[in-house]
Amino acid sequence: MQQFAVVATHSISQPEPEAGSATAVVQLVDAGGTALIPPMQVYGDQLPAVVAELEATHRPRWVFDSVHAWYPGLVAAGVRIERAHDVGLVRAILRNAPYAVPGEYLSALGREPDPANAAPAHLLPPARVPENQGELFSEPKDRSGALENVLAEFLAQRAAVPDTQRGAKLGLLLAAESAGALIAAEMTHAGVPWDVAEHHRLLHEALGPQVPAGVRPPRMEELAAQLRTLLDAPALNPDSPAELLKAMNRAGIAVSNTRAWELTEIKHPVIEPLLAYKKIARLATANGYAWVDRWVHGGRFRPEYIVGGVVTGRWASHGGGALQIPHQVRSAVRADPGKVLVVADAAQLEPRILAALSRDTALAAAATARDLYQGIADAGFGGDRAHAKVAMLGAMYGATSGESGRLMPQLKATYPQAVGLVEWAAAQGEAGAGVATFLGRGTPQAPEGWLKSRSRASTEAEQRAVEAEGRSRGRFTRNFIVQGTAAEWALCWMGELRRRMNAGRAAGVDTGELVFFLHDEIMLHVPAAQAQAVVDLVHESARSASELLFGKIPVDFPVTAVVVDSYDQAK
DNA sequence: AACTCGATTCAA
DNA sequence: GATATTGAATCGAGTT
């Protein structure tokens, strides 16, 4: 019989014997919500011990209003749990899930504003400060955090998942999302191993000796002086695009912006030092000494992951720019002595996802090639891989013009099912309708009055604007089904991997830690002796995730996994 | 002083 | 006339 352990700050119906001193309450229930043991009042910092005990004896699925609020404290105390249900994350999915059972719960969700449309997550106050064990589990004791309410919403959420094939997929999504929240907390706790000395060395190499904050590093200052001379602008601040643009125009360089990739086209003595300046300026401001001081502690970079933070279901992140660790500094991501990094990524995940989604047998056949784009090239582009790739990316992103747009008919002729699916998704979006991922994560509702404003446009400029907006939403829905389903695949991949690593650990093998995740790429920090075993788990998990999602279909989802000492050695 | 916005560059 | 998706983060420059 499946059991659930609900964790909350307090209980309404079971006032504490010693008022004000209990810091949490835990209730074990069955699938119908019936209590299996009396609710347990937890005092002081005893929650980790209580959770560890129940996990060992009952192995329940843990129900939290927010895993992000509760689990980091448990992980810090050395406690891990196998399964969870994150009421908040599930609420966010059900709000827009087209296959959910309509009813009172969904209606209630529909009546309140979607927080996803509110302020970005990083602007909201942090849910919890995992610094002080004593205060760790003392939330304000409002009704909304009460155990009865968490349990009631949990049961409503279970009831909202229909007992159908679609419901099974939705249930998988909800479980995977919650598992993701556990993984996110564990990864933040583990941290990316970061070699500060190596980072400082490469900064010194590129920028010159370290200077106080606010002072321009020596190599940048030298280049700035060159730029001032070459542009005959003695007061130029090259950090100001506006000033730079004016100075360049004055020097007879006809540009309308100062973007690096456009400057590469221009022949002028100033271009080379300018590009050099931009390159190291970016390094200094985004990942320089200040970045290391602020974000690397105890040899670990610990970004916070925001599960489901992107509409498509991808993760967002906060702190240190974890979604954009530049290749320039990846040599500083270095395994501890005796350990190695296992870096794995899913090769050409999104087009393979499209093949599976659309059941396009021709595209599936191309996907049996190790290099999918070469497979497409050989099938319909005369072996021209570059053309095949831009055409495919264009189909998934919604390119209408340029080379990619011109290649679209050719691609559609070869893969009518696949291209037809993304075109259908785009049409849905343009018509103001929504679409859903394979497991059933739906797009948010188009803004109120969106269609109305389309028909009400009077002037020609207004008309053009609403048409552009419609196409924009079409590109969004077109990409949503692919990016969102790819995110589901990645979530299942990690979930499967975590399960196997936990099993290994339970059997006494140190399988190391997941330390980083980025869309279709994972990094593990593992004892060198276990590297090959972990690589095997990574591959096994990918196969398992593919079957978990799609069943047995003729589409391969190969992953590459390499064992390295530092991140720059991976691909 | 704090906030907002555009420009830019980084990532998958 | 042209337009590809999703993000994070920093800076300068203008605003409140």
Side-chain angles (χ1 to χ4, degrees):
Chain A
M1 180 190 61
Q2 203 172 3
Q3 301 187 344
F4 303 89
V6 187
V7 180
T9 54
H10 65 292
S11 163
I12 297 168
S13 61
Q14 300 261 335
E16 307 151 23
E18 301 165 46
S21 57
T23 52
V25 53
V26 178
Q27 171 81 76
L28 197 66
V29 302
D30 67 14
T34 306
L36 298 172
I37 56 173
M40 304 162 70
Q41 302 282 346
V42 181
Y43 295 91
D45 57 3
Q46 288 306 297
L47 187 66
V50 170
V51 170
E53 169 74 13
L54 266 180
E55 176 74 3
T57 54
H58 291 74
R59 191 144 296 235
R61 186 177 293 273
W62 291 87
V63 180
F64 299 100
D65 55 351
S66 159
V67 167
H68 180 70
W70 290 92
Y71 195 47
L74 295 170
V75 174
V79 176
R80 306 249 166 159
I81 61 176
E82 188 75 19
R83 292 174 310 177
H85 177 107
D86 187 309
V87 172
L89 292 178
V90 167
R91 184 193 303 132
I93 292 173
L94 289 179
R95 189 191 303 280
N96 295 311
Y99 311 145
V101 178
E104 186 42 48
Y105 180 59
L106 252 61
S107 306
L109 291 185
R111 283 193 295 272
E112 60 189 49
D114 189 342
N117 296 331
H122 68 275
L123 298 179
L124 300 174
R128 184 171 295 274
V129 183
E131 300 296 337
N132 186 325
Q133 277 288 331
E135 293 170 3
L136 203 54
F137 303 109
S138 54
E139 283 286 315
K141 302 203 167 184
D142 59 285
R143 284 182 58 88
S144 66
L147 183 121
E148 288 79 0
N149 296 323
V150 177
L151 176 58
E153 184 165 6
F154 165 65
L155 293 172
Q157 292 182 338
R158 300 235 325 152
V161 178
D163 190 17
T164 60
Q165 230 172 346
R166 282 177 162 182
K169 293 201 295 188
L170 183 57
L172 172 59
L173 173 58
L174 302 182
E177 188 89 335
S178 296
L182 297 177
I183 294 167
E186 290 165 2
M187 279 198 308
T188 298
H189 177 78
V192 179
W194 209 279
D195 184 340
V196 172
E198 164 64 12
H199 197 141
H200 281 180
R201 189 202 60 74
L202 71 86
L203 289 176
H204 188 286
E205 189 177 276
L207 303 168
Q210 183 174 4
V211 291
V215 178
R216 208 187 312 260
R219 281 293 297 140
M220 280 174 68
E221 196 55 77
E222 289 165 25
L223 287 164
Q226 270 187 53
L227 299 177
R228 293 188 192 108
T229 308
L230 287 165
L231 292 172
D232 195 21
L236 173 69
N237 170 15
D239 295 325
S240 164
E243 276 187 42
L244 192 55
L245 189 60
K246 259 189 278 178
M248 289 177 80
N249 287 158
R250 255 201 313 270
I253 306 170
V255 286
S256 58
N257 61 58
T258 66
R259 285 174 213 151
W261 64 270
E262 288 193 16
L263 297 180
T264 53
E265 310 291 316
I266 294 161
K267 276 217 196 82
H268 188 281
V270 82
I271 297 301
E272 192 194 325
L274 177 54
L275 292 176
Y277 181 89
K278 279 174 166 285
K279 194 172 167 64
I280 64 173
R282 171 73 187 184
L283 175 66
T285 56
N287 295 96
Y289 294 99
W291 182 91
V292 178
D293 275 357
R294 177 146 182 223
W295 299 113
V296 181
H297 300 106
R300 295 290 185 268
F301 169 46
R302 293 195 169 81
E304 184 183 320
Y305 297 93
I306 301 165
V307 175
V310 180
V311 271
T312 56
R314 281 189 351 175
W315 291 10
S317 81
H318 177 54
L323 266 48
Q324 35 177 166
I325 300 172
H327 289 94
Q328 243 179 326
V329 305
R330 292 189 178 186
S331 64
V333 180
R334 188 171 294 274
D336 290 350
K339 293 193 173 183
V340 292
L341 302 175
V342 173
V343 181
D345 75 315
Q348 303 148 347
L349 178 57
E350 294 196 351
R352 291 172 197 277
I353 288 289
L354 177 56
L357 269 180
S358 62
R359 310 271 152 162
D360 189 311
T361 50
L363 188 53
T368 58
R370 181 75 200 175
D371 179 359
L372 171 136
Y373 293 124
Q374 191 59 55
I376 296 174
D378 293 341
F381 289 82
D384 187 338
R385 186 182 185 279
H387 272 175
K389 184 174 178 178
V390 292
M392 195 68 224
L393 291 175
M396 293 187 300
Y397 290 151
T400 53
S401 64
E403 190 178 32
S404 187
R406 281 196 300 279
L407 291 167
M408 207 49 56
Q410 205 174 334
L411 189 74
K412 190 173 182 180
T414 317
Y415 307 113
Q417 285 281 119
V419 176
L421 179 64
V422 290
E423 287 184 346
W424 169 84
Q428 288 287 109
E430 291 197 28
V435 295
T437 59
F438 183 76
L439 290 184
R441 188 192 303 265
T443 45
Q445 202 73 44
E448 185 70 29
W450 188 78
L451 274 175
K452 237 189 274 172
S453 76
R454 295 198 71 183
S455 55
R456 207 188 284 152
S458 51
T459 72
E460 219 165 291
E462 263 176 9
Q463 189 61 35
R464 270 201 304 276
V466 295
E467 278 167 13
E469 204 183 333
R471 284 194 297 278
S472 172
R473 184 161 176 90
R475 286 194 301 275
F476 166 62
T477 51
R478 170 197 291 264
N479 186 250
F480 182 92
I481 58 171
V482 178
Q483 187 182 116
T485 305
E488 287 164 354
W489 184 93
L491 214 43
C492 290
W493 181 33
M494 272 201 300
E496 289 292 311
L497 179 57
R498 174 178 187 262
R499 211 152 51 79
R500 284 168 172 77
M501 291 172 69
N502 284 349
R505 185 182 297 152
V509 183
D510 182 0
T511 46
E513 305 263 22
L514 263 166
V515 296
F516 188 64
F517 170 57
L518 182 57
H519 308 326
D520 61 359
E521 178 180 347
I522 57 179
M523 183 189 297
L524 302 101
H525 190 207
V526 306
Q530 299 303 328
Q532 192 50 52
V534 169
V535 166
D536 291 344
L537 292 186
V538 165
H539 284 113
E540 214 180 282
S541 302
R543 284 191 294 272
S544 181
S546 306
E547 194 171 333
L548 188 60
L549 255 83
F550 300 115
K552 293 206 181 296
I553 58 163
V555 181
D556 293 330
F557 293 91
V559 298
T560 64
V562 295
V563 179
V564 295
D565 294 312
S566 61
Y567 195 15
D568 60 318
Q569 296 164 358
K571 115 170 130 179

